């Protein structure tokens, strides 16, 4: 996943907590994880899908090592 660092600075989780996001992987697929509510948002074709209906709970037990920037 190659997201622009500036994009990561301005994106925020759409939940009421509005947390910052960090890139990671969930089951081998790229996601952005909210640091406030621990939801994982999919990234499809390098485009973050920031819809609460698309988010899934993120669990460190099913995640890989954090992705590098």
């Amino acid at each position: 996943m190659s997201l622009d660092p500036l994009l990561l600075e301005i994106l925020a989780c759409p939940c009421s907590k509005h947390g910052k996001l960090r890139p990671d992987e969930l089951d081998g697929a790229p996601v952005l994880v909210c640091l406030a509510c621990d939801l994982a948002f999919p990234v499809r074709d390098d485009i973050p899908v920031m819809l609460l209906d698309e988010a899934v709970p993120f669990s460190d037990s099913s995640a890989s090592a954090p992705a590098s920037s």
Side-chain angles (χ1 to χ4, degrees):
M1 168 173 48
S2 61
L3 291 177
D4 185 340
L6 180 59
L7 180 62
L8 284 175
E9 284 294 317
I10 61 174
L11 279 177
C13 177
C15 75
S16 59
K17 295 178 183 177
H18 303 291
K20 289 197 175 226
L21 302 164
R22 70 174 167 84
D24 210 315
E25 288 189 358
L26 185 63
D27 297 328
V31 294
L32 291 178
V33 180
C34 175
L35 299 176
C37 67
D38 207 37
L39 286 177
F41 295 87
V43 177
R44 297 184 186 121
D45 297 322
D46 287 333
I47 300 170
V49 181
M50 302 306 297
L51 300 170
L52 286 173
D53 291 344
E54 295 281 331
V56 295
F58 184 77
S59 168
D60 286 336
S61 63
S62 63
S64 68
S68 61
S69 304

